[in-house]
Amino acid sequence: AVTAAKGFSAYLLAKGLTSPRGLVFDPEGHLLVSQRVTEGNSKDNGIFALKLKDEGGCVTPLNHGLTLSPDGKTLYASSMTHVYAWPYDAKSMKTTGEAKSIITGFGARGGHSTRTLLALKKTPGTILVSRGSVGNLDPEARNVNSGDSQIRAFDVSDPFKEHKYTDGYLVGWGLRNSVGLGEHPVDGGIWSNENGNDNMNRTGQGIHNDSPGEEINYHGTMKNKERHGKNFGYPDCVAAWNIQGIPNNEGLSIGKQFTHDYSVSNGVTDGKCQKDYIPPAITLPAHWAPIDIAFNTNGTVAYMTSKGSWNRNPPDGFKLFAITFKNGKPIHSSSSKDAVIPILSSTHLPKDCPDCIRPTGVTFDSKGRLFVASSGATRGEIFIVVRNDGKSVD
């Protein structure tokens, strides 16, 4: 069951989808939905264009990343190995030409399969592409030339040019798996949310239930590049969440970077973590698995999704939540435990949570209504979230 916060209601728009992920509206108000690749169900993978009263149709088989150019005429989507572009006609809800491979070279070592895409509105002709780690702890992520655990930007103004991922402009690295990407609508600030490590130990003690915290990270703008190319610490340094559960926690506070057993052998210390790497702007509880970011029009609220934990007891996450912003930055510090405002949550959380909502994609329509996808084990749904007083969520 789904619980909405006081003042909000959620209405079911669609169900029976297969692991819906990315959501975006085209200029004609059609909702585009990507469905993630699931083993044995490849026939269900693809991008679907949905009218609110029609069933819509499949565009092409892909998996996660989905974005439209600011003018709505080019559709971008990703598989594990490629980013593709199509001419897109919003009136017919169809692509009008063959797919063009525009980004390749993600490596053949497997790992996290999603390639999140974001076409920047403040910098038309530029898209961001996020690539996660290979495995839980990826030593190759220490090498900037690997392409692992990075966000890169690409000039796609030439529709016929193909890029290699590691040739893209480096926005940030040391980011384990930044599935969510967002652009602040006023200042063009680039934001990401990071899925942290699993099964972490420190001095031989298991601490994974409550650390590391998930991270919301700031990367500057495409005009102010002071933060570009900076390293955010992975795989050696992570953000603290439950300080009491961390051995040798002197000097640690929520959001401060610290090291763990995997990295101590590499000569990394807490001091190095805090001196050499960029800490999060906001820290979330461990294992929430944040997925997407959508700002309201004036940039005062960022709505984010988290699909919830798989190896935490008791389970946690499974939410649509809000973070309040002012002047382009969160009003809370990285050491705050009060930054999250829950909007939608699962009512109860049994260990395997087959009936939980697992919020993934989130986006606004032109009327200021919030649309949220859920890809739970037994449910693939899209909800509309509105305010009970009739005012726009946006």
Side-chain angles (χ1 to χ4, degrees), residues 144-320:
V144 70
N145 296 317
S146 70
D148 294 2
S149 301
Q150 299 179 5
I151 299 171
R152 290 182 178 262
F154 297 85
D155 181 353
V156 292
S157 55
D158 180 351
F160 299 103
K161 184 176 181 179
E162 186 173 78
H163 308 261
K164 183 180 178 183
Y165 184 69
T166 50
D167 290 338
Y169 176 78
L170 185 65
V171 174
W173 61 304
L175 299 156
R176 180 177 176 270
N177 190 26
S178 295
V179 185
L181 295 176
E183 179 186 21
H184 193 275
V186 178
D187 66 8
I190 298 166
W191 293 84
S192 69
N193 49 31
E194 181 177 355
N195 289 231
N197 303 357
D198 298 311
N199 302 319
M200 180 172 289
N201 294 297
R202 179 162 160 109
T203 65
Q205 180 177 327
I207 62 171
H208 84 274
N209 211 51
D210 294 307
S211 282
E214 312 284 53
E215 301 183 16
I216 300 174
N217 292 307
Y218 176 60
H219 305 282
T221 72
M222 292 308 292
K223 290 184 178 179
N224 178 4
K225 301 182 179 182
E226 182 179 348
R227 281 204 170 208
H228 292 184
K230 301 295 185 181
N231 191 303
F232 287 73
Y234 175 83
D236 297 310
C237 302
V238 297
W241 178 250
N242 178 14
I243 307 305
Q244 300 304 316
I246 301 173
N248 301 332
N249 59 17
E250 295 82 4
L252 291 183
S253 57
I254 292 171
K256 267 197 172 183
Q257 300 256 33
F258 71 101
T259 192
H260 47 100
D261 288 359
Y262 173 81
S263 298
V264 168
S265 61
N266 195 44
V268 180
T269 64
D270 290 358
K272 179 177 176 62
C273 288
Q274 294 161 23
K275 176 176 178 289
D276 294 348
Y277 301 107
I278 304 296
I282 292 288
T283 311
L284 302 175
H287 306 300
W288 273 28
I291 297 293
D292 203 2
I293 304 170
F295 282 95
N296 65 347
T297 301
N298 62 14
T300 56
V301 182
Y303 291 90
M304 302 191 189
T305 55
S306 56
K307 68 182 181 70
S309 60
W310 68 270
N311 67 338
R312 188 183 189 281
N313 187 22
D316 201 6
F318 312 92
K319 297 180 186 296
L320 165 72

Side-chain angles (χ1 to χ4, degrees), residues 282-283 322-324 332-333 336-341:
I282 292 288
T283 311
I323 301 287
T324 304
H332 292 88
S333 72
S336 174
K337 276 196 170 182
D338 301 318
V340 168
I341 305 170

Side-chain angles (χ1 to χ4, degrees), residues 118-138:
L118 180 65
L120 297 179
K121 294 181 179 179
K122 294 290 184 180
T123 315
T126 299
I127 66 168
L128 303 181
V129 183
S130 174
R131 191 244 194 266
S133 65
V134 176
N136 182 39
L137 291 164
D138 179 1

Side-chain angles (χ1 to χ4, degrees), residues 61 88 131 140 250 283 308 347 354 387:
Y88 177 72
R131 191 244 194 266
E140 288 300 312
E250 295 82 4
T283 311
T347 303
R387 288 173 50 129

